[in-house]
Amino acid sequence: MKSSTTDRTPLRAAVIGTGLLAQHLYSYSSQDDVEIVAVGSSNPQKLGIAAAEHFGVDGPEITIQETATVLDRPDIDVVLHAGPQDTVWDAFEQCAARGLDVLTTAGGYHRSEQLDRFAQEEHVVRLAERNGARLLGTGIFPGFTADVLPIALARLMPGPVNLTIRIISDIGPWSEKVLRKEIGVGGPLREAELDLFDYVKASARIIVDSISSARVQWTYRSDLLTSTELVSIGPVVVPPGNVAGFSLQAVAKLDESVVDVTWESSLGGAEAGGTIVASSLDHGFNITTRIAGTPAYPATAARLLNSVRPLRTLPPGLRQAFEVPLATVWADNSGHH
């Protein structure tokens, strides 16, 4: 069983996952506090491939290995989980069993309200506490617009704050598989049961976790949007009246304030980007921030990396986002910050 108390610098980290977020973590491999020394995957087709070749960016000369092999390495100090959200608690359990600290940016790291899942998660938390491992979720795609910046604004303003976040994404560049299978673009209108909704819920929850410990009342809305005319969304042709996008909302009502996160696809000429409105309830002023596009992965990856060292000062177990500083500075491969 590993010890999560080493104070060597830099700490040696393993990235679990091979998607865009993992690419950013790999490319930031020359941090002062964290050095990426391994990349793990459960996809047999990616094993043995050079990480730099797979990600298409400069980085350490390492090959992608099977996840269990990476976690069993004696030189790993901390695990950076960038895999799918349905693998979060499996990753937590694997790391907890080995006494390894693990940070994730995938949704699903909050405790479930379902009794059977809650019992399984409770087992993992107790395992982490016994073995000296810390489990932490630091953020979620859409990232910068949907958690890092709203949290920063809320912490800058005195007293309770209302936060209203609206993100509009251009889904045209998304793959045909995602458009058709995950959203239903081009198909008939149906009840909206989107996996994407988990991202919105997780973003809202990470904001609430970071700014308040008050009791929360949640409401959710999930809608599919239809086109009024024949349109093309990426490679998909959408007849009039068929699904052309989505609108998802999560609202948290706290004791004195409200956090409202909405994520929509652009439709009818709406410009992609983000708007954040932070309203100080005690002092009667607002801060409105507009962002062109939806920058996400760089800030999300940066917050995870900058949470590694502070996490190791906390007791073992499932930790909360408000327990680590909101740090979003990172260095690119040229050393610029």
Side-chain angles (χ1 to χ4, degrees), residues 108-128:
Y109 49 76
H110 290 91
R111 298 301 297 272
S112 173
E113 296 177 358
Q114 301 176 18
L115 290 180
D116 56 340
R117 287 185 55 193
F118 187 90
Q120 295 172 353
E121 293 162 4
E122 185 70 10
H123 162 72
V124 174
V125 174
R126 296 291 171 258
L127 186 65

Side-chain angles (χ1 to χ4, degrees), residues 257-274:
S257 59
V258 175
V259 173
D260 182 337
V261 179
T262 301
W263 186 20
E264 299 175 332
S265 57
S266 59
L267 194 63
E271 184 178 354

Side-chain angles (χ1 to χ4, degrees), residues 242-265:
N242 283 25
V243 174
F246 59 86
S247 178
L248 311 171
Q249 182 183 41
V251 179
K253 293 185 178 180
L254 310 175
D255 291 342
E256 298 181 272
S257 59
V258 175
V259 173
D260 182 337
V261 179
T262 301
W263 186 20
E264 299 175 332
S265 57

Side-chain angles (χ1 to χ4, degrees), residues 61-283:
E61 296 182 0
I62 55 180
T63 58
I64 300 173
Q65 297 178 292
E66 202 277 327
T67 296
T69 300
V70 168
L71 298 182
D72 285 337
R73 285 177 48 165
D75 60 333
I76 300 299
D77 299 317
V78 62
V79 175
L80 312 179
H81 176 265
Q85 59 189 7
D86 59 359
T87 66
V88 170
W89 280 93
D90 285 343
F92 277 3
E93 183 169 17
Q94 292 180 69
C95 293
R98 294 168 170 84
L100 280 168
D101 289 348
V102 54
L103 302 89
T104 184
T105 58
Y109 49 76
H110 290 91
R111 298 301 297 272
S112 173
E113 296 177 358
Q114 301 176 18
L115 290 180
D116 56 340
R117 287 185 55 193
F118 187 90
Q120 295 172 353
E121 293 162 4
E122 185 70 10
H123 162 72
V124 174
V125 174
R126 296 291 171 258
L127 186 65
E129 292 172 346
R130 288 198 304 269
N131 292 340
R134 303 161 187 87
L135 321 173
L136 177 68
T138 60
I140 185 70
F141 176 82
F144 181 69
T145 312
D147 55 49
V148 171
L149 187 53
I151 295 167
L153 290 174
R155 289 186 176 180
L156 287 171
M157 300 176 73
V161 176
N162 283 344
L163 287 171
T164 303
I165 300 105
R166 187 185 184 208
I167 301 163
I168 301 177
S169 294
D170 177 9
I171 62 175
W174 294 15
S175 71
E176 183 174 2
K177 178 181 178 182
V178 171
L179 292 174
R180 290 189 182 277
K181 292 189 176 182
E182 294 194 22
I183 305 175
V185 170
L189 186 64
R190 55 181 172 77
E191 184 177 350
E193 295 181 356
L194 303 179
D195 291 340
L196 295 173
F197 203 3
D198 290 336
Y199 294 108
V200 177
K201 294 177 181 178
S203 285
R205 293 185 72 169
I206 198 71
I207 293 171
V208 171
D209 285 353
S210 299
I211 66 174
S212 175
S213 59
R215 293 177 60 86
V216 184
Q217 179 181 350
W218 290 98
T219 56
Y220 304 112
R221 177 184 58 80
S222 174
D223 297 318
L224 291 171
L225 307 179
T226 58
S227 176
T228 58
E229 58 185 358
L230 183 69
V231 297
S232 293
I233 299 178
V236 182
V237 177
V238 182
N242 283 25
V243 174
F246 59 86
S247 178
L248 311 171
Q249 182 183 41
V251 179
K253 293 185 178 180
L254 310 175
D255 291 342
E256 298 181 272
S257 59
V258 175
V259 173
D260 182 337
V261 179
T262 301
W263 186 20
E264 299 175 332
S265 57
S266 59
L267 194 63
E271 184 178 354
T275 302
I276 303 167
V277 180
S279 305
S280 173
L281 303 182
D282 289 346
H283 296 79

